[in-house]
Amino acid sequence: MLTDHFGRSIEYLRLSVTDRCDLRCAYCIPEGFKGFEEPAHWLGFDEIERLLGLFARLGLKRIRLTGGEPLLRRDITGLARRLAALPGIEDISLSTNATQLGRMAADLKAAGVSRLNVSLDSLDPATIARINGRPVLADVLAGLAAASAAGFAPIKLNMVVMEDNAREVDAMVDFCLEQGYVLRLIELMPMGDTARRMGYVDLQPIKRRLQRRFGLVDTLFPGGGPARYLGTADGRFSVGFITPLSQHFCATCNRVRLTVDGQLHLCLGQDARMDFRSLLRSGATDDDLVAAIQQAMALKPERHEFSEQPEKLLRFMSMTGG
Ligand code: SAM
């Protein structure tokens, strides 16, 4: 069992398989960003499998593939298959912007990916072009259709809410009700200058308004993540609220993040980390790696400080893995 200093069990790892992306979401990888990681530093599949196999021996149960855009990493289905076969791993999920999902959904399902989260901040092409930097709505909708056809259910749709798209939340609720997607509304985190400039919106008033308009009640939804859910009484629709600022969930944080270059980050909003690339590439034995994993757990901070120190973090989300 992996446990940190605050008694939290760590059973969930988000693996960033690339820090590249085909979108330029203004709050994540702004247009013109050049600080991508050298390919020579990317962990190879053998390195990832070895390290996560050791994590699994210590109690890791769930892995989410993310990025950057994970579907841009060559042979991502091959990696998913290898990770799904690790003893102890019960669940492989994937976060994607869905631009490539149309041609990959069926292979991902066959490789053992069991759950999909798709990012979609708007249904309006003009808003998408402004926030996400590319005109991708048609590709994303095709990707969603392919995911349903491949048997992914439920599909969760992630919408980051900010000043630009806050008025579109109800339209997104209507769309998800109609299509049967689980909606998750996410508060903007102040990661990097451009994210700070996008205009944070507190989700609590939106939550109360949706509760009234759609007659929603508190709902439990499986997933193990930080979202708190409301749903219709007939169970037909659920909406999750991920509120790192207005109501943070650090006390129940069960996750760590491994970047494409092998840095294990213990908190999305703090600098604490352990360099596993150097260990893997300097002849560390399995026992050395197990000891390093256990030492890393002791570095996990109690909580992020997005509200107290919004200027603190220079890392964009794409660099850590969302
Ligand atoms: N490309 C994949 C995707 O679109 O889901 C995976 C990586 S992306 C970084 C993961 C999630 O992080 C997306 O839903 C994205 O909207 C969210 N994200 C990125 N920067 C954020 C920020 N500053 N605040 C809140 N969410 C953010």
Side-chain angles (χ1 to χ4, degrees):
M1 189 72 124
L2 284 171
T3 311
D4 75 359
H5 264 338
F6 303 95
R8 296 171 295 197
S9 307
I10 310 303
E11 51 176 45
Y12 183 20
L13 184 141
R14 291 188 165 220
L15 172 68
S16 175
V17 292
T18 178
D19 59 349
R20 321 261 160 148
C21 190
D22 51 343
L23 300 189
R24 286 293 176 272
C25 301
Y27 52 77
C28 188
I29 309 185
E31 207 68 65
F33 177 73
K34 298 225 164 30
F36 294 108
E37 200 50 58
E38 301 259 333
H41 290 169
W42 299 354
L43 291 191
F45 288 0
D46 290 343
E47 291 172 318
I48 292 172
E49 187 181 22
R50 177 178 177 215
L51 184 57
L52 297 198
L54 295 171
F55 265 93
R57 244 200 254 164
L58 294 169
L60 185 76
K61 292 192 171 60
R62 295 181 297 125
I63 298 170
R64 174 170 295 275
L65 302 172
T66 183
E69 174 44 46
L71 301 190
L72 297 186
R73 179 82 188 243
R74 188 178 306 156
D75 195 23
I76 183 70
T77 50
L79 178 64
R81 198 170 298 113
R82 287 168 74 165
L83 297 180
L86 287 174
I89 295 300
E90 297 169 1
D91 182 58
I92 303 283
S93 56
L94 181 131
S95 290
T96 176
N97 61 30
T99 60
Q100 318 292 314
L101 196 55
R103 57 183 179 85
M104 295 178 73
D107 289 346
L108 289 166
K109 184 85 177 134
V113 175
S114 55
R115 295 183 301 120
L116 279 185
N117 287 4
V118 170
S119 296
L120 186 59
D121 294 333
S122 171
L123 295 163
D124 175 0
T127 311
I128 290 187
R130 270 198 315 278
I131 296 181
N132 309 111
R134 303 282 186 272
V136 289
L137 183 59
D139 293 336
V140 175
L141 295 179
L144 283 166
S148 294
F152 284 103
I155 294 170
K156 292 181 182 167
L157 257 175
N158 285 342
M159 174 183 192
V160 180
V161 181
M162 63 210 94
E163 276 170 13
D164 194 317
N165 66 350
R167 68 190 174 288
E168 299 180 31
V169 167
D170 288 38
M172 193 64 88
V173 171
D174 285 332
F175 173 72
C176 289
L177 257 165
E178 189 187 294
Q179 299 291 326
Y181 302 134
V182 174
L183 177 61
R184 284 136 46 94
L185 302 175
I186 303 176
E187 282 179 349
L188 184 67
M189 287 177 267
M191 304 182 73
D193 285 346
T194 45
R196 287 190 275 271
R197 284 199 294 270
M198 294 304 285
Y200 165 77
V201 171
D202 182 339
L203 283 182
Q204 303 301 334
I206 293 181
K207 187 174 176 185
R208 288 191 289 274
R209 187 169 55 69
L210 293 181
Q211 226 163 347
R212 283 194 304 274
R213 179 178 163 205
F214 294 94
L216 303 177
V217 292
D218 285 327
T219 310
L220 277 181
F221 199 87
R228 296 178 175 85
Y229 284 93
L230 293 176
T232 49
D234 63 4
R236 219 166 55 82
F237 171 69
S238 304
V239 52
F241 295 82
I242 302 182
T243 55
L245 280 95
S246 68
Q247 195 180 15
H248 74 77
F249 33 82
C250 302
T252 55
C253 182
N254 59 355
R255 66 196 52 202
V256 292
R257 291 175 156 85
L258 186 64
T259 61
V260 66
D261 61 324
Q263 308 301 307
L264 186 78
H265 284 267
L266 285 310
C267 172
L268 192 53
Q270 299 276 11
D271 286 326
R273 66 188 167 98
M274 175 80 76
D275 177 4
F276 278 94
R277 184 183 79 239
S278 298
L279 285 167
L280 284 161
R281 294 186 183 177
S282 61
T285 63
D286 284 359
D287 286 348
D288 297 334
L289 291 170
V290 164
I293 293 169
Q294 281 159 339
Q295 282 161 21
M297 293 307 119
L299 301 177
K300 190 167 169 62
E302 185 172 15
R303 48 168 302 202
H304 67 68
E305 293 170 316
F306 286 138
S307 300
E308 297 88 334
Q309 300 197 60
E311 308 288 322
K312 178 174 172 174
L313 207 67
L314 297 173
R315 241 169 33 231
F316 292 115
M317 182 73 111
S318 58
M319 299 158 98
T320 317

